[in-house]
Amino acid sequence: MQLVLEKRAERSNTIALISPLIAIGLTIVTMVILFAILGKNPLLALHAYFIAPLTDSYSLQEIAVKATPLVMIAIGLSLCYLANAWNIGAEGQFLIGAVAGSWIAVKTQGTDAGVWALPAMLVLAAAAGALYALIPAICKVKFGASEILTSLMLVYVADLFLDYLVRGPWRDPHGFNFPTTAEFDPVATVPLLIEGGRLHLGSIIALLVVAGAAILLGRTIKGFEIRVVGAAPRAARFGGFNSNQLIILTFAVSGALAGLAGIIEVAGPVGHLQPGISPGYGFTAIIVAFLGRLNPLGILIAGLFLALTFIGGEQAQIAMKIPLDVTKVFQGILLFYVLACDSLILYRFKLVFPNRQVARGTH
Amino acid sequence: MQAHRRMLDPTANSLHSGESPLLKTVGLTKRYGDFLANDAIDIDIWPTEIHALLGENGAGKSTLVKAIYGLIQPSAGQIFWRGQPIMLSGPSEARSRGIGMVFQHFSLFDNLTVAENVALGLDGKESFKDMSARLEQVSKTYGLPLDPKREVWQLSVGERQRIEIVRALMQDPQFLILDEPTAVLTPQEADQLFVVLERLKAEGRAVLYISHKLEEVKRLCDTATILRGGKKVETCNPRLETAASLARMMVGGEIKEVKAAAGRQTTVPRLVVNDLSLAPGEAHGVRLEHISFELKGGEILGIAGVAGNGQDELFAALSGERLSKDPGTIVIEGLAAGHLSITQRRKLGAAFVPEERLGHGTAPRMKLSENALLTGHAASGMVHHGFIDTAATLKTVDRATETFDVRKAKRDPEAASLSGGNLQKFIVGREILRNPAVLVVSQPTWGVDAGAAAVIRQALLDLATAGAAVLVTSQDLDELAEIADRIAVMFHGHLSAPLATSEATREKLGLLMGGSTLEPREAAHAVGA
């Protein structure tokens, strides 16, 4: 008896839907083993990770707040990945967006700038994120440089640039030498949706982005272009679609969305620019994009789920002294299983019983 | 020798008294999932015979020979070699036992020399010098001239095939399998190959010859085994059959005749190519050299030629996948189009069908409706203000299905799930339903079953009758003779002057395909060039 992987005639839509669930299931099983090895009660740990955050309003709002940048970035990345353009540097585009938007906030500090401040910050952040993403895209199109490497390396450039600004020119003079800008003025801050709560306008923007991407991919010729360039490049050229143009376009859009997410995070929950504004949103968003099947609605759900693991990880650290890094281990294992389970969309397992005649022939 | 020949009846094998077949399969079965590629096939190969394996694409010919050559393991059944049951672990074991194979698609390294390529295919116990000497000797003995020091990319397809054959012969096989060897040869080159095969037979070896060219099989082969849908239909003596009776066994029914409408009128020039020259887009590609022709409405121009002589490059230039610097080199419907993109050319009324169905003509993992949109978005009212009209794309699928008898499991399946013939009918249908003024089609019936091929050829004829200009590139001379009004030949990026089909004999076309010219005056000119 033999277990073989066999190609399906047509992709299985059922498996496409349940494959992320299988992946989550396998991840949880692996985590239980990991918790047991760490000497923690697996059931209590799972409760802290997945149940506890869902039981109070503060944590629920916090999940939405964490999901906001994840979903916005992942939507942009999904457009890149569908078009076979591998933007790994969303983290850098996020930071550059945060820096560019903060520039207005820092320069208008205490000047009673009007209500234009926040919209201007959002637009500038998106533009800066897009331009920053265009660097690897243009290098790819003009010189054939691997966008995976260049976009990833630019993350560290952005990270150090932000570090320089908040330790140097933009440091808050009254900040006891901490590397941070002053708190942004109210006109330069993303408004809250619930007085005294955590939920802010950015979550609404993220939902609009999801809706926009769903329409783009499902209904428009541009969305079709993106899908066909990734799925069958030669057929796309035959269809009259230019893959280089699409690399530029998808990188610019994903950079803009990452930059927008960056300024919303800084001008929203954080309130000022400082190092460490992102717990790796740009990288976690890659997992969100794939866990969500590169589908806008799927990304929304996956973004909320990954946000849950961030909050759950904090709770587990407080309640059970489980290191916060276990959250990253969890996310890594999850991506591994998602990609593994995806092979079931085009393949299926089959048990094969070798024929007796052949078996006899071998002896 | 003649006493050796057995009768039609397979039970009459006793004529080979005292001998056993060189190779015998009993109940050979290969299963891929639910699909039976080979269903209990029995075949006997005797020494000193040229045995044809006939069948349509997908009949299971390749699967059977791959099992015999050890490339795949059969799911059931048994292979006997000289009377002994064998289990081949792989091709190297098959070769060491004396089974050789020449594939349809060559496995040669373009940047290595002939001798280096041959050395790579042998087990390497002898020195390179000895091997080179043996290579020259084998190639001389069998009349397969080769220069061991030349690099492969400089060679013609026929010469490349010679390398593969010599490489196989250097291992002194008792049994040689050839997979559609004449598909890439000119008629004259094919004749030379037949001389080699006759000689192998006279030396007491056996040859298994895969083909679907029936006249060739009748001429060359002593026995023919016909496969259909994975099953063996019959083993017969092809010389006692007619081409029609062999075709019936292959297809399992009569094939519809393709009929051209009488008195087709040609109208205005719809596609004109003026002195088109284009450097190749990739290394070792073919340079297009001063190509000129004029194609009128109502006319079908056929382009013959051995694969790799610039046909792909010409298709890319005509379709606009590669642009020409000079707009005037390509004129569609009276407008200079050399600099226009494929979308703009479609808007002028041109339509294109490339050779590769999956991955070029269609996106394999996308639905038919999406593949209708792939070429229809330019000029078929499927897009309004950037939004896709899904109903319009589905309607195209339904119309193509109905008009061209596309068989599929559901209304809108993925392109990859259709059989080759049905997908080709969909692709040709998709373009014809756009009512093109000019249709450029490459290898329209390559790898397509006979029924679908007839539908497609008829559709091309009907399109020309309706007034369109049709350009057909094909390696199948019979196909061009059937539908084209004029035939031109591509060789090394040059296009010959078109011949009227009635004058285009196989001999003339074969000469042009091999690079000769027809008239001495022209020949002198060509040598000077």
Side-chain angles (χ1 to χ4, degrees):
Chain A
M1 204 172 69
Q2 208 182 354
L3 194 63
V4 293
L5 260 189
E6 180 182 285
K7 204 170 172 113
R8 295 173 192 270
E10 195 162 330
R11 54 176 285 142
S12 162
N13 288 325
T14 326
I15 298 287
L17 285 177
I18 64 171
S19 132
L21 300 180
I22 301 174
I24 289 172
L26 289 169
T27 309
I28 288 176
V29 170
T30 312
M31 289 308 286
V32 164
I33 296 169
L34 195 66
F35 288 137
I37 292 170
L38 286 171
K40 310 286 179 189
N41 181 336
L43 285 180
L44 286 181
L46 287 181
H47 183 269
Y49 257 91
F50 298 113
I51 311 293
L54 299 173
T55 50
D56 67 291
S57 148
Y58 178 84
S59 294
L60 282 174
Q61 286 191 51
E62 195 61 24
I63 288 171
V65 168
K66 281 265 193 279
T68 296
L70 287 177
V71 168
M72 285 178 70
I73 301 170
I75 290 281
L77 290 181
S78 71
L79 299 182
C80 285
Y81 298 162
L82 282 170
N84 236 344
W86 299 98
N87 182 2
I88 309 296
E91 180 83 358
Q93 294 139 27
F94 176 93
L95 295 175
I96 286 295
V99 165
S102 298
W103 178 71
I104 295 180
V106 169
K107 292 299 164 191
T108 61
Q109 187 91 44
T111 60
D112 276 334
V115 288
W116 58 268
L118 183 65
M121 285 161 67
L122 297 181
V123 169
L124 190 64
L131 284 175
Y132 202 59
L134 280 179
I135 300 171
I138 288 171
C139 287
K140 164 83 176 176
V141 170
K142 290 279 171 213
F143 312 113
S146 163
E147 75 277 25
I148 298 176
L149 290 177
T150 50
S151 65
L152 179 62
M153 290 191 292
L154 284 169
V155 171
Y156 305 105
V157 176
D159 198 18
L160 294 170
F161 181 57
L162 186 154
D163 217 48
Y164 159 74
L165 287 175
V166 293
R167 286 174 203 279
W170 290 4
R171 190 170 56 189
D172 180 10
H174 313 292
F176 307 103
N177 246 352
F178 278 109
T180 164
T181 66
E183 286 296 305
F184 291 176
D185 288 343
V187 287
T189 304
V190 177
L192 293 173
L193 291 180
I194 307 167
E195 199 61 44
R198 294 282 296 160
L199 206 58
H200 57 78
L201 188 66
S203 302
I204 304 288
I205 297 177
L207 286 177
L208 292 177
V209 166
V210 169
I215 293 170
L216 173 77
L217 287 174
R219 310 282 313 150
T220 69
I221 187 74
K222 195 45 93 179
F224 176 70
E225 235 179 284
I226 289 172
R227 287 187 293 128
V228 83
V229 160
R234 198 153 171 235
R237 197 161 63 237
F238 179 64
F241 305 137
N242 183 328
S243 64
N244 281 347
Q245 268 176 18
L246 274 188
I247 291 175
I248 302 276
L249 178 80
T250 55
F251 258 82
V253 170
S254 78
L257 287 172
L260 197 58
I263 191 60
I264 288 172
E265 188 68 11
V266 168
V270 181
H272 56 262
L273 189 65
Q274 63 168 57
I277 49 171
S278 161
Y281 286 135
F283 295 118
T284 306
I286 298 172
I287 304 174
V288 172
F290 280 106
L291 187 64
R293 308 239 57 84
L294 305 181
N295 169 303
L297 200 63
I299 285 171
L300 180 61
I301 297 167
L304 288 167
F305 179 73
L306 264 289
L308 174 67
T309 67
F310 274 122
I311 309 299
E314 284 171 12
Q315 300 230 355
Q317 187 185 30
I318 296 165
M320 304 183 63
K321 310 223 173 337
I322 293 173
L324 202 55
D325 287 337
V326 171
T327 307
K328 285 188 178 155
V329 173
F330 174 90
Q331 293 176 351
I333 293 173
L334 182 60
L335 179 63
F336 171 79
Y337 280 127
V338 166
L339 297 179
C341 289
D342 272 6
S343 53
L344 293 177
I345 298 172
L346 291 180
Y347 296 86
R348 65 175 157 222
F349 283 114
K350 192 162 188 179
L351 279 177
V352 175
F353 302 91
N355 183 281
R356 277 205 193 128
Q357 237 182 335
V358 175
R360 225 189 294 137
T362 54
H363 298 302
Chain B
M1 287 304 246
Q2 237 12 57
H4 228 69
R5 292 268 64 80
R6 65 190 176 288
M7 313 301 294
L8 274 180
D9 183 357
T11 57
N13 280 350
S14 53
L15 277 179
H16 291 271
S17 53
E19 290 179 47
S20 59
L22 192 58
L23 182 123
K24 181 183 181 71
T25 71
V26 177
L28 192 88
T29 299
K30 180 65 192 178
R31 184 189 296 277
Y32 292 106
D34 298 334
F35 178 68
L36 270 174
N38 276 172
D39 186 0
I41 291 182
D42 301 334
I43 189 169
D44 294 348
I45 312 279
W46 298 84
T48 71
E49 86 171 347
I50 301 181
H51 192 128
L53 191 56
L54 280 170
E56 290 207 273
N57 280 83
K61 302 179 302 242
S62 295
T63 308
L64 179 63
V65 294
K66 277 183 191 160
I68 293 174
Y69 191 53
L71 271 169
I72 53 173
Q73 300 296 327
S75 315
Q78 189 58 271
I79 302 172
F80 294 89
W81 175 248
R82 300 178 188 278
Q84 296 299 312
I86 52 167
M87 280 282 288
L88 293 171
S89 58
S92 60
E93 192 188 338
R95 283 196 294 268
S96 69
R97 284 178 187 273
I99 303 174
M101 180 156 176
V102 175
F103 289 90
Q104 192 179 5
H105 299 286
F106 309 145
S107 39
L108 298 170
F109 294 93
D110 276 355
N111 289 321
L112 297 184
T113 64
V114 170
E116 285 164 344
N117 267 290
V118 171
L120 280 170
L122 300 176
D123 53 10
K125 281 187 193 114
E126 59 192 331
S127 74
F128 189 75
K129 209 177 123 206
D130 292 350
M131 193 280 308
S132 295
R134 207 154 65 83
L135 164 65
E136 263 183 279
Q137 187 230 322
V138 169
S139 88
K140 219 171 268 160
T141 315
Y142 287 95
L144 293 162
L146 276 176
D147 178 354
K149 293 192 186 63
R150 285 188 76 188
E151 289 186 2
V152 167
W153 65 270
Q154 301 170 303
L155 304 179
S156 73
V157 181
E159 287 171 306
R160 289 177 204 207
Q161 188 183 58
R162 265 181 236 155
I163 305 176
E164 293 274 3
I165 294 175
V166 167
R167 178 153 81 181
L169 290 180
M170 282 176 73
Q171 290 160 343
D172 192 23
Q174 288 311 297
F175 174 42
L176 185 64
I177 305 167
L178 295 120
D179 191 355
E180 304 221 13
T182 55
V184 295
L185 300 180
T186 66
Q188 285 85 350
E189 284 175 320
D191 287 342
Q192 289 168 12
L193 176 67
F194 298 158
V195 173
V196 176
L197 297 186
E198 291 287 356
R199 182 182 169 127
L200 291 176
K201 175 177 148 184
E203 287 174 346
R205 304 173 207 264
V207 174
L208 183 62
Y209 184 87
I210 302 180
S211 183
H212 58 244
K213 295 188 178 172
L214 302 174
E215 291 299 340
E216 218 173 81
V217 168
K218 275 171 60 64
R219 242 177 81 194
L220 180 71
C221 300
D222 309 301
T223 318
T225 294
I226 294 137
L227 302 185
R228 186 170 74 231
K231 291 194 173 69
K232 185 172 106 172
V233 180
E234 179 91 74
T235 294
C236 62
N237 181 342
R239 295 187 178 108
L240 302 179
E241 301 286 335
T242 63
S245 68
L246 288 171
R248 262 198 304 278
M249 285 190 266
M250 275 167 64
V251 179
E254 293 293 336
I255 304 161
K256 228 167 76 185
E257 286 268 328
V258 175
K259 266 197 217 94
R264 206 161 65 213
Q265 294 295 313
T266 56
T267 57
V268 289
R270 306 196 98 159
L271 173 66
V272 180
V273 174
N274 296 314
D275 197 27
L276 170 70
S277 293
L278 201 59
E282 49 197 49
H284 307 327
V286 177
R287 187 188 170 82
L288 296 179
E289 307 267 15
H290 308 290
I291 288 179
S292 296
F293 62 86
E294 190 181 275
L295 184 53
K296 293 196 172 83
E299 188 184 27
I300 299 181
L301 173 63
I303 294 186
V306 174
N309 271 293
Q311 294 95 326
D312 297 348
E313 286 81 358
L314 180 63
F315 181 86
L318 291 177
S319 66
E321 288 174 294
R322 292 201 59 218
L323 299 183
S324 160
K325 289 223 170 55
D326 178 1
T329 50
I330 296 169
V331 181
I332 297 171
E333 287 282 76
L335 284 162
H339 60 305
L340 296 182
S341 70
I342 188 166
T343 300
Q344 289 166 312
R345 291 181 200 199
R346 287 194 176 114
K347 284 181 179 158
L348 289 180
F352 310 97
V353 176
E355 176 179 344
E356 278 295 324
R357 285 184 281 277
L358 288 171
H360 193 180
T362 63
R365 290 287 169 191
M366 288 191 153
K367 292 176 173 160
L368 290 187
S369 60
E370 293 175 300
N371 276 303
L373 182 65
L374 184 71
T375 62
H377 68 90
S380 302
M382 292 179 184
V383 179
H384 306 294
H385 308 292
F387 283 85
I388 300 163
D389 184 347
T390 317
T393 61
L394 270 172
K395 206 174 140 207
T396 305
V397 175
D398 291 343
R399 282 177 60 205
T401 305
E402 207 173 299
T403 317
F404 297 98
D405 185 30
V406 180
R407 314 234 172 112
K408 49 195 168 64
K410 54 185 185 188
R411 187 180 178 198
D412 195 14
E414 283 177 8
S417 72
L418 265 64
S419 75
N422 281 308
L423 185 60
Q424 188 71 359
K425 283 190 281 187
F426 168 76
I427 295 173
V428 171
R430 167 182 84 182
E431 303 305 328
I432 287 181
L433 288 175
R434 294 178 47 222
N435 291 321
V438 175
L439 178 68
V440 178
V441 42
S442 190
Q443 310 288 0
T445 60
W446 166 82
V448 159
D449 60 275
V455 171
I456 289 165
R457 287 174 192 157
Q458 188 64 55
L460 296 178
L461 282 167
D462 294 346
L463 184 70
T465 309
V470 180
L471 183 73
V472 182
T473 306
S474 178
Q475 290 185 65
D476 184 345
L477 293 182
D478 298 332
E479 169 168 87
L480 293 180
E482 196 172 352
I483 61 174
D485 301 300
R486 292 182 298 155
I487 300 175
V489 176
M490 274 209 97
F491 179 74
H492 283 192
H494 293 269
L495 187 70
S496 76
L499 301 167
T501 303
S502 53
E503 293 164 20
T505 59
R506 296 186 80 84
E507 285 64 38
K508 279 188 192 170
L509 291 176
L511 285 173
L512 290 169
M513 285 162 74
S516 312
T517 37
L518 295 180
E519 291 166 47
R521 189 161 39 86
E522 279 175 334
H525 178 74
V527 168

